[in-house]
Amino acid sequence: MQQQPVVSAPVPAAKIKKKSSSGKAFQWTAGIILGVIGVAMVMPFVWMVLSSFKTEAEVKQIPPTFWPESFNLDSFKMLFTEMDFGVYLGNTLLITLFSFFGLLLNAMAGFGFARYKFKGRDGMFFFVLATMMIPGQVTMIPVYLILNSMSLTNTMIGIVLPGFISAFGIFLFRQFMSTLPEEIMEATRLDGASEYRLFAQVALPMSKPIMAVQAILTFIAGWNSFLWPLIIANDEKLYTLSVGLQLLKGQNGTNFALQMAGATFMVVPILIIFILFQRQIIENYNISGIK
Amino acid sequence: MKGSSKAAPWVFIGPTLLLLAVFSLLPILVAAGISLTDMDLAGLANYSNIEFVGIKNYIDVLTDPVFLKAILNTLFYVLIGVPLVVACSLGVALLINMGQSRIFRMFRVVYYMPSVTNVVAVAVVWLYLYNPGIGLFNYLLNSLGLGSVPWLTEPTVAKLSLILLALWRSIGLNMIIFIAALQGISKTYYEAAQLDGATTWQQMRYITVPMMRFAIFFVTITTMIGWLQFFEEPFIMTQGGPLDGTLSASLFIYQNGFQFSSFGFAAAGSFVLFFLIIIITLLQLKLQRKQAEE
C-alpha cells in the first residue's frame, strides 16, 4: 500500500498544520458521519449476500433473520440446474474477451492522435470527442436497424461491435501517450523499426499504467453489459448474466433467495476485482485531470 | 514525428473512425430519416412497405399524453436528482478529504462500490428491499413504530424510490471527481488563511467552494445529462408503472421502439429528447458564464 500511484495525489492540505485539537475533533466527527452513512451504503450488499444463503422460506419470514439459520447453497445450485447460468457466464466472459479487442483499437487510436501530425487530425479528434455527446436513445434504434441490415442481430459480433470504441478511453490513451519521451521513439526508428513495431514493442509497454486501468474498466464494463445483449440477443443461448438475471426475475418473481443468489453471483466477483484494483481505478479520474 | 511513413497514422486511427462513423454518425442520419417515415415491423421485413409521412411522427409524439407525462417525469427526476447527487457527492468528498488516516481511504472504496456493480443485480436487490410485505425497509420502519411506505406502488413515492437507488449508485464516481479537484487546490491558500486566523469553516467557505466551481459545474452538467436519459432503473424495477408514474422519456422511446416496434415514432421521440438535452445544457452553460462574470 506504500507505493505511489501513477499520478501522485498531493498530500491533503490539512496535513501541514492540522495537529491542533480542533482539527482532530473535526476529523473524528467526519469519520463518524462517514461511518454511519457508509454502513447504509454497504447494507444492500450485505443483505444480498446473507439472503442468498437462506432458504426460500426463511427469506420470506417476518420478522426477518439477519444471519442465515444455516448456510445452504441450494439457490446457487439452482442457478445452474434450473437456469442456464453456466451458459450465461460463458457468454459474458466471451463478450468481455471480445471487448479487449476494442481496447486495443482505442489504444491504437490514442497513439495515432498523440504521436503523429497529419492533415485533419484535430478535426477528427474533435469528432471522436463529439460522439460522446450523442445520447444512446437516439442511436439505439438506428444501430439496431443497421445491425439488422448486416444480418448481425442475434449474433455475438452484433452484441459487442457497437460498444468497441470508447471515446473517453481514446482521450485517456492520447493524454498518456503524448507524454512518452520522443527520444526513445526516434532511437527505435533509427534502429530501423517500423511504426507498427514501435507501437507494439515500445509505446504499448511504456503505457502499462493506463493500459492496466483501462483493462480493468473494460472487464467491469463487459461483465456488466446489459442493454445491447438485451436488444440484440433473441436466443437464450446468447444471453449474458445480466439478461439472464432479468429473465430469472421475471420467471421467479417471488423466490427472493434465488434472485439474491443470482445477484450475488454477478456482484461479488466485480466487488473483489474492484477492491483489489481500487487504487488504480480511482486514480484513473485524477489522470483525466478534472480540476 | 518526422520522416514516418504516411500511412501509419491512418492505420492506427482508421478502424476507430470507421466504427464511429457506422455506429455514431450514420445512426443519427438513419434516425433522422426514419423519424419521417412509418417504419415498423412490416417495414423492417420489406423496405418497400415504408412510407414517407413528413413530420406526422413529431406531431403525434408531441401530442401524445403518455410522452408528455414521460417528459414531466424526466424533469422531476432532473430537478430532484441533480441537486441531491451534487450535494451528497460534494458532502462526502469534503468529509473524506478532511482525514488522512487509512480509514478515510477505505471510505473512498466503500462509497465507490455501488458504482461498479451491475444495474440489474442491484435493481433485483433493491426490489427485495422495497418489497411491501417482506422487504427490509418497511420492516425497519415498522420496528421503529413508523408506518409502511408504498415504495414502488404510489406514483410519486415510486419516483423518489428510484431516485434513491440512482443516488446510491452515482455518489461514488462524482465523489472521486470532487476529491481529485479538492486535492488540486494549492496548500498555500490554506496556509495563508491559517496565518490570518481563519476558522476551518471560513476556509471552506472562501477558499474551497470558490476553487471548486469548475468541478461542481462539470458534475452538474454530466449528472443532468445522465438524469435526462434516466432509463435502467425504471426499466428493470417498474417498467414505467404504476400508472406511467415512473415512465421516463428514454423508457418511452425504448418501449415504442423495441416493444411496440414503432421505429419511426420512437425515433421522432428520441430527437425531441435530444433537443431537450441540448437546450437544457446550453441554458446551464449560459448560467455558468453569467455566474463566472460576477
Side-chain angles (χ1 to χ4, degrees), chain A residues 71-92:
Chain A
F71 280 82
N72 88 52
L73 296 170
D74 289 354
S75 298
F76 286 98
K77 283 180 198 141
M78 265 177 82
L79 291 176
F80 293 91
T81 54
E82 313 273 305
M83 305 279 304
D84 285 328
F85 265 60
V87 176
Y88 306 154
L89 175 65
N91 289 335
T92 306

Side-chain angles (χ1 to χ4, degrees), chain B:
Chain B
M1 268 178 229
K2 300 148 285 180
S4 53
S5 88
K6 280 249 189 301
W10 295 101
V11 174
F12 286 124
I13 66 168
T16 294
L17 290 181
L18 182 71
L19 281 169
L20 280 179
V22 175
F23 293 113
S24 288
L25 197 62
L26 181 63
I28 294 205
L29 303 176
V30 173
I34 58 172
S35 74
L36 302 173
T37 70
D38 64 350
M39 177 95 178
D40 54 12
L41 271 189
L44 192 62
N46 187 345
Y47 289 159
S48 64
N49 288 331
I50 306 171
E51 248 174 73
F52 182 78
V53 295
I55 58 163
K56 180 177 176 294
N57 284 326
Y58 288 91
I59 296 170
D60 285 353
V61 80
L62 285 171
T63 52
D64 186 338
V66 182
F67 183 70
L68 296 180
K69 180 144 202 206
I71 293 281
L72 284 181
N73 287 340
T74 305
L75 293 178
F76 182 95
Y77 290 133
V78 170
L79 284 176
I80 310 273
V82 174
L84 259 182
V85 169
V86 174
C88 292
S89 326
L90 185 58
V92 170
L94 286 170
L95 287 173
I96 287 183
N97 201 48
M98 274 181 185
Q100 302 108 49
S101 54
R102 186 162 287 187
I103 188 135
F104 283 84
R105 228 170 303 151
M106 201 195 78
F107 282 135
R108 289 203 311 190
V109 178
V110 165
Y111 283 81
Y112 195 83
M113 263 172 18
S115 301
V116 292
T117 50
N118 179 273
V119 63
V120 185
V122 297
V124 164
V125 173
W126 280 69
L127 270 175
Y128 176 42
L129 294 170
Y130 278 148
N131 188 289
I134 55 171
L136 182 67
F137 287 165
N138 271 350
Y139 170 74
L140 290 176
L141 286 176
N142 291 343
S143 47
L144 290 171
L146 300 165
S148 296
V149 170
W151 294 108
L152 294 171
T153 45
E154 199 278 322
T156 308
V157 180
K159 275 194 273 284
L160 294 171
S161 302
L162 294 187
I163 289 176
L164 184 65
L165 165 58
L167 172 70
W168 177 73
R169 287 187 67 217
S170 58
I171 284 182
L173 180 57
N174 295 313
M175 164 200 82
I176 294 301
I177 294 172
F178 281 137
I179 291 179
L182 280 170
Q183 296 185 341
I185 302 175
S186 165
K187 283 160 269 179
T188 51
Y189 293 115
Y190 293 101
E191 287 165 22
Q194 279 159 10
L195 283 178
D196 288 343
T199 63
T200 311
W201 176 252
Q202 283 171 327
Q203 290 172 37
M204 194 182 279
R205 169 74 183 75
Y206 293 105
I207 301 173
T208 313
V209 173
M211 297 289 285
M212 294 283 286
R213 192 173 267 164
F214 180 72
I216 294 172
F217 169 68
F218 178 84
V219 169
T220 307
I221 288 275
T222 51
T223 307
M224 201 179 58
I225 294 176
W227 280 102
L228 283 167
Q229 303 179 32
F230 196 48
F231 171 73
E232 285 156 326
E233 285 85 352
F235 174 66
I236 300 163
M237 294 187 73
T238 58
Q239 287 285 327
L243 303 168
D244 295 330
T246 58
L247 185 71
S248 67
S250 293
L251 184 53
F252 176 90
I253 294 162
Y254 176 87
Q255 286 180 340
N256 279 282
F258 293 108
Q259 285 166 1
F260 314 138
S261 298
S262 317
F263 298 116
F265 180 69
S270 76
F271 272 103
V272 174
L273 177 65
F274 193 8
F275 191 64
L276 199 70
I277 293 176
I278 292 173
I279 298 257
I280 295 183
T281 310
L282 287 179
L283 265 175
Q284 191 76 27
L285 277 168
K286 214 170 177 184
L287 221 85
Q288 150 82 7
R289 209 163 291 154
K290 221 173 172 183
Q291 261 180 358
E293 274 166 15
E294 274 164 16

Side-chain angles (χ1 to χ4, degrees), chain A residues 51-114:
Chain A
S51 302
S52 69
F53 292 112
K54 295 175 186 172
T55 62
E56 203 180 331
E58 191 186 349
V59 127
K60 288 181 188 155
Q61 262 176 40
I62 290 286
T65 51
F66 179 71
W67 206 252
E69 280 159 10
S70 69
F71 280 82
N72 88 52
L73 296 170
D74 289 354
S75 298
F76 286 98
K77 283 180 198 141
M78 265 177 82
L79 291 176
F80 293 91
T81 54
E82 313 273 305
M83 305 279 304
D84 285 328
F85 265 60
V87 176
Y88 306 154
L89 175 65
N91 289 335
T92 306
L93 290 176
L94 201 59
I95 286 183
T96 312
L97 200 70
F98 274 132
S99 52
F100 276 93
F101 185 68
L103 179 67
L104 181 68
L105 290 182
N106 289 337
M108 279 166 52
F111 181 74
F113 281 120

